[in-house]
Amino acid sequence: MITSRRVVAVAKFLGILAVLGLLVHMGTILFSTRYNTNGQSIFEMWGNSLASNKEYGGSAHAEGNYAPNAEKPVKAALVALVRNDDLYGLRKTIRELEDRWNRNYNYPYIFLNDKPFSEKFMSGVRDLTNAPVQFGTLEPDTWGYPEWIDQNKAKHERETSTYIKGRSESYRFMCRFQSGFVFKHPLLKDLEYYWRIEPDVHYFCDIDYDPFVYMKKNNLKYGWNIAPSEYEPTVRTLWNSTQEFMNKNPDMIPSNSMIDWVRDSNNQYTRCHFWSNFEIVDLSFYRSKEYQAYFDFLDHAGGFFYERWGDAPVHSIAVSMFLPKSQVHYFDDIGYYHPAMSHCPDGSKERGKCVCDPKEGWANGFTCAKRWRQIS
């Protein structure tokens, strides 16, 4: 017969084993996740997480009045170039942005279209936000072919191309517009900053600070989130045209620029670019004489139509040519998905204010993101 004393002893022994097992399990987790993809220890990550509010400017309303119709601390807006048939995809984007961030900040939305928006589209957007919303159509000279383009040559490129979006005429109009005209639209003329948004994207994290205020306080010109490499057939001569521009305008290229992000040791194009479907930008950069000169040079070279130069590589080369790295910010704390690629902050399956799987959001491991961390 088992005595009560023996039962107590066995229970104590089993309790000790359970505690030891738990300690071993915790140690395994700490060891296996000791470093993230940025080389930070898990203890540094936790410390940084605790300090993130201080780093990025604190909680909502710390910087001013964010009531829907109040003047915000920064003249800024969320901007999208969309069409009427993008309504469902855009509603999904707005719903997530509102839930994750803008319901606390109420920055305005500006939507642009090459054709008038329908009443259905406008009411479907306004239903989702208390923030101001504006709708605009594009000015005729910003959408279409400039007079110097050989449209037969452009047509031949479209009809013989085999790369993605290669046969689309309107996609080329869009890339040219986003490269050189979006920031000139009358609805954006008074803005200091814009945050570009797209239909059918996801935001994985609660954002409890104002990125516009953060950028302004820290004199940041360009903010990005994903950095892949461009598909070579779409930019066959973009780097040659860029080198020609630099040779003709050496005084425009500062000595501390981050040009080595897009140029390797052999002076060849790395094809690294910031995926511009997510970008937060001080619009004084796009309005600068340097950026304007570069865009005009590329526009006359014709590569938007004779190839398929995208706004992402154009923006990215310009950022690399004209800005130091200290004025460019990697928003790696914002989890983001655009069809085909995503970024998920480390540890988001287990903790923090993001819900996503870092193994599925692998953009942080792209060669170009790694190159960004390596350049000075």
Side-chain angles (χ1 to χ4, degrees), residues 239-307:
W239 184 242
N240 292 338
S241 294
T242 298
Q243 288 179 305
E244 186 179 351
F245 172 84
M246 289 192 290
N247 290 335
K248 290 181 176 180
N249 301 278
D251 56 316
M252 288 189 177
I253 317 301
S255 59
N256 64 343
S257 77
M258 47 174 280
I259 191 65
D260 287 338
W261 189 61
V262 294
R263 179 185 65 189
D264 68 17
S265 58
N266 295 315
N267 204 33
Q268 298 301 304
Y269 183 28
T270 64
R271 292 184 283 115
C272 286
H273 69 286
F274 305 121
W275 225 21
S276 56
N277 49 71
F278 177 108
E279 61 177 16
I280 304 176
V281 187
D282 178 344
L283 293 177
S284 69
F285 173 66
Y286 287 156
R287 294 168 181 146
S288 67
K289 67 176 184 179
E290 293 83 2
Y291 183 87
Q292 286 294 294
Y294 179 55
F295 170 74
D296 289 343
F297 188 87
L298 295 183
D299 201 20
H300 281 80
F304 291 108
F305 302 103
Y306 303 149
E307 297 174 23

Side-chain angles (χ1 to χ4, degrees), residues 74-122:
V74 179
K75 292 179 180 178
L78 301 144
V79 179
L81 175 64
V82 287
R83 287 177 165 166
N84 287 307
D85 57 8
D86 290 320
L87 177 58
Y88 177 53
L90 187 65
R91 278 173 55 83
K92 290 190 289 183
T93 295
I94 294 171
R95 178 72 278 152
E96 290 196 23
L97 266 174
E98 289 292 311
D99 291 345
R100 293 298 199 179
W101 180 67
N102 204 39
R103 62 188 172 89
N104 292 319
Y105 294 89
N106 292 295
Y107 273 100
Y109 293 90
I110 296 174
F111 300 109
L112 304 176
N113 191 346
D114 63 310
K115 294 180 172 59
F117 283 108
S118 66
E119 289 297 327
K120 176 183 177 181
F121 184 97
M122 292 188 288

Side-chain angles (χ1 to χ4, degrees), residues 200-369:
D200 295 304
V201 301
H202 296 296
Y203 297 88
F204 298 134
C205 310
D206 286 345
I207 305 168
D208 54 6
Y209 64 95
D210 185 336
F212 297 124
V213 167
Y214 177 74
M215 290 192 67
K216 189 170 185 176
K217 279 188 171 183
N218 291 281
N219 192 30
L220 297 166
K221 299 295 184 183
Y222 191 88
W224 62 281
N225 182 267
I226 293 176
S229 58
E230 183 58 291
Y231 187 48
E232 192 277 336
T234 68
V235 289
R236 301 186 298 274
T237 64
L238 177 58
W239 184 242
N240 292 338
S241 294
T242 298
Q243 288 179 305
E244 186 179 351
F245 172 84
M246 289 192 290
N247 290 335
K248 290 181 176 180
N249 301 278
D251 56 316
M252 288 189 177
I253 317 301
S255 59
N256 64 343
S257 77
M258 47 174 280
I259 191 65
D260 287 338
W261 189 61
V262 294
R263 179 185 65 189
D264 68 17
S265 58
N266 295 315
N267 204 33
Q268 298 301 304
Y269 183 28
T270 64
R271 292 184 283 115
C272 286
H273 69 286
F274 305 121
W275 225 21
S276 56
N277 49 71
F278 177 108
E279 61 177 16
I280 304 176
V281 187
D282 178 344
L283 293 177
S284 69
F285 173 66
Y286 287 156
R287 294 168 181 146
S288 67
K289 67 176 184 179
E290 293 83 2
Y291 183 87
Q292 286 294 294
Y294 179 55
F295 170 74
D296 289 343
F297 188 87
L298 295 183
D299 201 20
H300 281 80
F304 291 108
F305 302 103
Y306 303 149
E307 297 174 23
R308 202 223 64 194
W309 294 352
D311 54 282
V314 171
H315 289 180
S316 303
I317 293 175
V319 167
S320 300
M321 274 198 299
F322 301 132
L323 296 178
K325 187 179 179 183
S326 61
Q327 290 190 301
V328 182
H329 183 65
Y330 179 15
F331 280 101
D332 59 346
D333 62 306
I334 298 178
Y336 173 71
Y337 167 86
H338 185 282
M341 298 184 202
S342 66
H343 165 66
C344 178
D346 291 298
S348 295
K349 285 181 71 175
E350 297 89 12
R351 62 187 178 276
K353 296 184 177 181
C354 306
V355 180
C356 53
D357 185 348
K359 291 181 180 178
E360 296 177 0
W362 29 258
N364 195 35
F366 280 165
T367 299
C368 292

